[in-house]
């Protein structure tokens, strides 16, 4: 499903128990310096990530100051964030004008809050210019925080260069499917939500969603600020030549945090043509 860019007035774009992706939550909060935003989500853990600007986050009796360092856009610096546990009140105070993402995943337990600074990001880069798959991933809540988070994975993904494909070879993660009697999973159910940005901001791209192998699917024209909900199916995306693409990624697992992607059989041989792709797979845990 594609949600076209609009002024959400600090109200959730993907609310709790969404009909398409009930395991995820997404809000964009825009504040002027000095303004505050309060929220509390029962049943969902969240992560506060400034897209631009700097904020202070207060939650669970702790205060995390000077979160975020980016200026003009998401390419202008490194991401930072604060993990906010389930059913814990949170106040976001804008220290500068800010656009802030709030990412969430359904999770029943209440853990402890913490900040993720830019030096703690889990980084991976893979693909190549030749294969038109050059991509950089900055995991905010990635493998390095596996023991401190319930079901939420939060990352920022960038195309490298001008134009190209992302999320290829095509994969899906819409079913909890054990690989054998030992309990190892061949695929895990993780609902997913994207918010896209383009550089320059009048660029655009395409999000595919093929729900069955070798059968026609859907394609969405994505623009700066588009939100896409991935409920089921294989879902590569691409950006027009001459533009760069970014997307903020939220994953919420049904039964576990570690993501197990199932690659589309028709294109599975491409796994061996794209440099570093298995490193990418290993980081989504």
């Amino acid at each position: 499903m594609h949600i076209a860019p609009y002024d959400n007035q600090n109200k959730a774009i993907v609310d709790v128990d969404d009909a398409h992706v009930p395991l995820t939550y997404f809000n964009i909060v825009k504040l002027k310096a000095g303004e505050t935003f309060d929220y509390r989500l029962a049943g969902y853990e969240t992560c506060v990530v400034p897209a631009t600007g700097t904020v202070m986050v207060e939650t669970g009796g702790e205060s995390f100051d000077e979160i975020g360092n980016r200026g003009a856009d998401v390419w202008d610096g490194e991401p930072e964030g604060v993990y906010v546990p389930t059913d814990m009140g949170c106040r976001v105070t804008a220290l500068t004008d800010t656009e802030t993402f709030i990412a969430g995943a359904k999770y029943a337990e209440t853990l402890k809050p913490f900040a993720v600074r830019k030096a703690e990001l889990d980084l991976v880069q893979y693909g190549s210019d030749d294969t038109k798959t050059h991509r950089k991933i900055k995991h905010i809540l990635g493998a390095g925080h596996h023991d401190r988070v319930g079901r939420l994975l939060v990352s920022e993904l960038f195309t490298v260069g001008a134009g190209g494909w992302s999320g290829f070879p095509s994969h899906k993660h819409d079913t909890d499917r054990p690989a054998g009697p030992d309990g190892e999973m061949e695929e895990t159910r993780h609902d997913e939500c994207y918010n896209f940005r383009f550089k320059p901001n009048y660029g655009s791209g395409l999000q595919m969603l093929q729900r069955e192998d070798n059968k026609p699917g859907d394609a969405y024209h994505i623009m700066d600020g588009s939100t896409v909900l991935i409920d089921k199916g294989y879902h590569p995306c691409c950006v027009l030549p001459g533009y760069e693409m970014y997307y903020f990624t939220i994953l919420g697992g049904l039964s576990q945090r570690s993501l197990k992607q199932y690659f589309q059989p028709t294109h599975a041989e491409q796994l061996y043509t794209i440099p570093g792709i298995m490193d990418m797979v290993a980081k989504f845990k």
Side-chain angles (χ1 to χ4, degrees), residues 23-260:
L23 302 180
T24 64
Y25 172 91
F26 177 54
N27 195 1
I28 297 177
V29 175
K30 296 180 180 178
L31 302 171
K32 297 292 185 182
E35 293 181 338
T36 62
F37 178 80
D38 296 311
Y39 76 94
R40 182 174 192 150
L41 287 182
Y44 286 76
E45 58 185 346
T46 55
C47 185
V48 176
V49 180
T52 57
T54 305
V55 302
M56 177 174 65
V57 179
E58 298 169 275
T59 185
E62 298 190 53
S63 179
F64 303 96
D65 204 7
E66 301 285 340
I67 300 293
N69 59 85
R70 294 189 283 209
D73 56 34
V74 292
W75 284 269
D76 187 17
E78 302 295 336
E80 295 186 326
V82 173
Y83 173 76
V84 179
T86 301
D87 199 23
M88 189 172 286
C90 178
R91 168 166 287 189
V92 179
T93 301
L95 304 180
T96 67
D97 292 357
T98 179
E99 178 184 22
T100 292
F101 298 141
I102 301 177
K106 185 172 283 191
Y107 187 63
E109 297 179 36
T110 299
L111 304 177
K112 294 182 179 181
F114 61 90
V116 180
R117 300 292 183 173
K118 59 184 180 180
E120 302 170 276
L121 298 173
D122 202 354
L123 306 176
V124 63
Q125 189 163 335
Y126 77 96
S128 68
D129 293 335
D130 289 342
T131 59
K132 307 299 182 187
T133 58
H134 212 168
R135 190 162 74 149
K136 181 183 295 183
I137 306 175
K138 301 177 181 181
H139 292 285
I140 302 162
L141 293 182
H145 301 96
H146 189 61
D147 60 345
R148 304 177 71 183
V149 180
R151 302 276 170 78
L152 178 62
L153 288 153
V154 179
S155 306
E156 295 190 337
L157 290 80
F158 298 77
T159 58
V160 178
W165 284 88
S166 188
F168 188 82
S170 306
H171 62 275
K172 71 183 186 77
H173 38 74
D174 55 41
T175 304
D176 268 353
R177 181 167 40 165
D182 59 356
E184 179 70 18
M185 301 296 282
E186 182 178 32
E187 178 184 358
T188 56
R189 158 82 184 275
H190 278 73
D191 291 354
E192 190 164 26
C193 171
Y194 300 148
N195 185 262
F196 288 90
R197 303 297 161 98
F198 293 88
K199 186 177 182 180
N201 64 5
Y202 49 82
S204 64
L206 181 73
Q207 173 72 64
M208 293 174 59
L209 189 54
Q210 186 179 11
R211 290 175 176 82
E212 295 185 53
D213 192 16
N214 292 322
K215 291 188 178 181
D218 298 313
Y220 306 111
H221 181 202
I222 49 177
M223 305 178 70
D224 195 75
S226 285
T227 300
V228 171
L229 310 184
I230 306 294
D231 58 342
K232 181 180 180 181
Y234 306 100
H235 47 277
C237 56
C238 65
V239 54
L240 293 173
Y243 299 93
E244 295 182 63
M245 182 172 72
Y246 156 102
Y247 51 113
F248 185 72
T249 303
I250 306 164
L251 284 157
L254 176 64
S255 60
Q256 65 180 53
R257 183 166 186 264
S258 296
L259 171 69
K260 187 71 173 182

